[in-house]
């Protein structure tokens, strides 16, 4: 390899030289190029989102996260591609941290009930994040004092009003339908994290080819 993960490469640049049996190389060619093209596309898209975030004056502390919405059997590779593009991984799997989501709240009956059950079973072993859908859930979540509160699918206008009075000891994550058109607006809110699957679901493959010499 002539470049490292995360390096920016210009069009028509040789990125690697391969030596060996012609037959062996040609057998692996298409599979290898498919992986490189797919993962480079994710890294590039991640970097494009970061560039849009960096234009905002609130972006110094802002971290771009991916989600668990990945291609089956390719999670490790796709998440590595996100890191290569400058982003970070939210959770690799369900055991990475505790995220109390809408279905957990529905089953438990309330945010407080769901949070209490988590504390009873795990105590402070893991970081705890709570996803909220409305003001009622937000007030309950703040009273629970989790590590992070996630605002999922809240619009920018509503978030601006809410975050003015948000307690500083709780981290803020915004998520839901984030894309290239609106990410800069969310970046201006002063959140700690923006999480999105956009770089996985909407990245374009980068075109690579193998030329025999």
């Amino acid at each position: 390899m002539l470049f490292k993960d995360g390096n920016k490469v210009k069009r028509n640049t040789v990125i690697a030289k391969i030596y060996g049996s012609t037959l062996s190389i040609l057998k692996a060619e298409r599979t290898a190029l498919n992986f490189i093209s797919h993962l480079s596309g994710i890294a590039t898209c991640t970097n494009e989102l970061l560039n849009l975030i960096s234009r905002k004056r609130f972006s110094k502390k802002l971290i771009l996260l991916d989600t668990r919405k990945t291609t089956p059997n390719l999670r490790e590779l796709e998440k590595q591609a996100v890191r290569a593009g400058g982003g970070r991984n939210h959770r690799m799997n369900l055991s990475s941290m505790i995220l109390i989501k809408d279905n957990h709240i529905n089953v438990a009956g309330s945010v407080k009930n769901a949070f209490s059950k988590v504390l009873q079973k795990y105590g402070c072993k893991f970081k705890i994040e709570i996803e909220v859908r409305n003001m009622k859930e937000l007030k309950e979540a703040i009273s629970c004092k989790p590590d992070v509160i996630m605002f999922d699918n809240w619009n920018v206008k509503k978030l601006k009003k809410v975050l003015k009075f948000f307690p500083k000891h709780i981290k803020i994550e915004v998520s839901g339908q984030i894309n290239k058109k609106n990410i800069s607006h969310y970046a201006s809110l002063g959140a700690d994290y923006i999480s999105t699957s956009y770089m996985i679901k909407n990245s374009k493959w980068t075109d690579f080819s193998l030329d025999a010499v």
Side-chain angles (χ1 to χ4, degrees):
M1 291 296 292
L2 303 179
F3 295 90
K4 296 180 179 180
D5 286 348
N7 286 164
K8 293 184 178 181
V9 180
K10 293 181 179 180
R11 187 184 298 273
N12 298 322
T13 301
V14 176
I15 65 165
K17 294 182 179 180
I18 303 170
Y19 303 90
S21 163
T22 300
L23 183 59
S24 298
I25 291 173
L26 293 178
K27 280 182 178 180
E29 172 193 8
R30 181 43 51 197
T31 300
L33 290 176
N34 286 347
F35 275 114
I36 294 171
S37 297
H38 174 52
L39 300 176
S40 295
I42 292 173
T44 299
C45 187
T46 302
N47 196 254
E48 289 171 349
L49 291 173
L50 281 171
N51 287 336
L52 292 170
I53 286 175
S54 66
R55 298 174 186 174
K56 294 296 178 180
R57 63 187 179 92
F58 293 102
S59 65
K60 289 184 178 179
K61 68 171 184 176
L62 185 59
I63 295 172
L64 178 64
L65 301 172
D66 59 13
T67 72
R68 290 192 304 114
K69 294 177 182 176
T70 52
T71 307
N73 299 319
L74 294 183
R75 176 170 294 172
E76 294 278 352
L77 293 174
E78 290 179 341
K79 282 184 168 286
Q80 184 177 339
V82 170
R83 296 195 300 273
R88 296 193 195 177
N89 302 143
H90 191 288
R91 291 188 298 167
M92 190 62 69
N93 51 53
L94 292 175
S95 64
S96 300
M97 65 177 292
I98 294 172
L99 175 54
I100 299 174
K101 292 178 65 66
D102 50 358
N103 285 329
H104 304 133
I105 295 169
N106 291 342
V107 172
S110 69
V111 171
K112 285 186 176 180
N113 286 347
F115 188 80
S116 296
K117 289 179 182 294
V118 165
L119 287 183
Q120 287 173 12
K121 186 165 185 178
Y122 299 106
C124 299
K125 186 178 179 181
F126 300 99
K127 285 188 175 182
I128 302 175
E129 180 171 1
I130 301 176
E131 176 187 303
V132 296
R133 296 168 288 187
N134 50 55
M135 289 301 298
K136 180 183 177 182
E137 290 183 353
L138 175 59
K139 290 177 181 178
E140 281 192 69
I142 290 174
S143 69
C144 293
K145 299 180 181 179
D147 298 285
V148 187
I149 289 179
M150 178 198 292
F151 295 87
D152 190 33
N153 290 307
W154 287 52
N155 63 51
V156 173
K157 185 177 181 181
K158 189 174 181 180
L159 281 170
K160 280 183 178 179
K161 295 179 180 178
V162 171
L163 297 185
K164 285 181 180 179
F165 310 100
F166 200 84
K168 294 182 179 180
H169 63 276
I170 301 175
K171 298 288 187 181
I172 301 165
E173 179 180 339
V174 295
S175 185
Q177 307 303 317
I178 305 292
N179 55 55
K180 288 182 180 179
K181 291 183 178 180
N182 63 25
I183 193 168
S184 61
H185 298 299
Y186 282 98
S188 68
L189 295 171
D192 299 281
Y193 309 103
I194 288 182
S195 59
T196 178
S197 58
Y198 184 89
M199 67 281 278
I200 306 292
K201 297 191 296 183
N202 296 279
S203 61
K204 293 178 63 177
W205 283 31
T206 304
D207 189 25
F208 288 98
S209 62
L210 176 68
D211 293 329
V213 178

